Amino acid sequence: FVFRSFRDPAGFCFLYNSRILRVVHMEFIANLNDVLDLSCVQELLSSKQLISTRILSDSERRELEQESAYREKFEYGPEALVLEHERLFFPSFPNEWCALMLHDAGLLTLQIAASLLKAGFGLKDATPLNVLFRGSKAVFVDILSIERRRQTDPIWLPNSQFIRTFFFPLLLNRKPGIPLADL
């Protein structure tokens, strides 16, 4: 089974032989390295609020690229970087969550955005699809969503996405009682 993410210019994530791998395109590697060097990101990793991530060594990457099934499905340049993420035991998705899970995912998203802001970074999107759960704990899984912010920009660009995908569904679930799966 192969799953490949889409709509992210920085790279893509896929499941290959029970491993969660992510390719980072060359022009986004410097940003990723800056992100991984942030003390707040290291704290998020150690507290398990951000998905465990490691860069594949050159030998691991060469070994992977020797597999014909891998080569047939994933074409990218030699200058790209390959990451491996922790695989969570039971991934669930927002349309399957109860209101408390959506609330926890939204709260984690806001906490991460606030933590990154102090370091001059931010989230480029704010969707529940960037969060999975390890047991009952929310985990942010899209490390490529973290980017450097312009210091002169006071606006959090994904604010409207956060409102549409977290706030409004929770509000509609609470007041009129519309099930989250219907939203």
Side-chain angles (χ1 to χ4, degrees):
F1 172 74
V2 176
F3 165 79
R4 182 170 169 167
S5 64
F6 61 99
R7 291 181 40 193
D8 186 354
F12 58 92
C13 190
F14 58 96
L15 175 62
Y16 180 75
N17 285 350
S18 299
R19 297 170 72 185
I20 304 295
L21 301 174
R22 182 183 302 265
V23 171
V24 182
H25 299 304
M26 182 181 67
E27 58 270 24
F28 296 94
I29 294 173
N31 182 73
L32 174 68
N33 288 330
D34 291 344
V35 166
L36 291 174
D37 286 340
L38 295 172
S39 61
C40 62
V41 167
Q42 290 304 313
E43 290 171 19
L44 291 167
L45 286 165
S46 66
S47 68
K48 299 189 180 283
Q49 293 177 297
L50 183 60
I51 196 74
S52 176
T53 301
R54 71 180 190 86
I55 298 171
L56 292 187
S57 69
D58 290 339
S59 62
E60 288 175 304
R61 182 175 166 167
R62 280 192 299 274
E63 184 179 310
L64 193 61
E65 290 169 348
Q66 293 301 313
E67 298 178 31
S68 61
Y70 181 86
R71 278 195 322 273
E72 289 172 11
K73 297 203 181 296
F74 304 106
E75 295 282 334
Y76 50 85
E79 64 281 346
L81 187 69
V82 181
L83 307 175
E84 183 169 10
H85 297 299
E86 167 192 6
R87 183 166 181 197
L88 297 177
F89 170 69
F90 184 81
S92 62
F93 301 96
N95 63 315
E96 302 169 321
W97 296 347
C98 65
L100 184 57
M101 292 173 80
L102 184 61
H103 176 271
D104 287 351
L107 188 58
L108 176 65
T109 301
L110 291 175
Q111 289 169 340
I112 289 173
S115 175
L116 292 168
L117 187 59
K118 294 174 190 171
F121 283 73
L123 296 176
K124 64 181 172 185
D125 57 5
T127 169
L129 295 172
N130 286 344
V131 178
L132 293 174
F133 282 81
R134 182 186 298 109
S136 62
K137 301 292 183 193
V139 180
F140 194 84
V141 297
D142 189 5
I143 197 159
L144 294 184
S145 180
I146 300 171
E147 65 181 3
R148 187 175 302 281
R149 286 182 50 99
R150 288 192 329 255
Q151 288 184 322
T152 58
D153 186 1
I155 298 171
W156 187 43
L157 294 177
N159 183 55
S160 63
Q161 184 183 39
F162 182 87
I163 290 170
R164 281 191 321 274
T165 60
F166 286 105
F167 181 76
F168 284 157
L170 286 170
L171 184 66
L172 290 171
N173 176 256
R174 180 171 179 157
K175 293 297 180 189
I178 300 171
L180 289 177
D182 292 350
L183 299 171

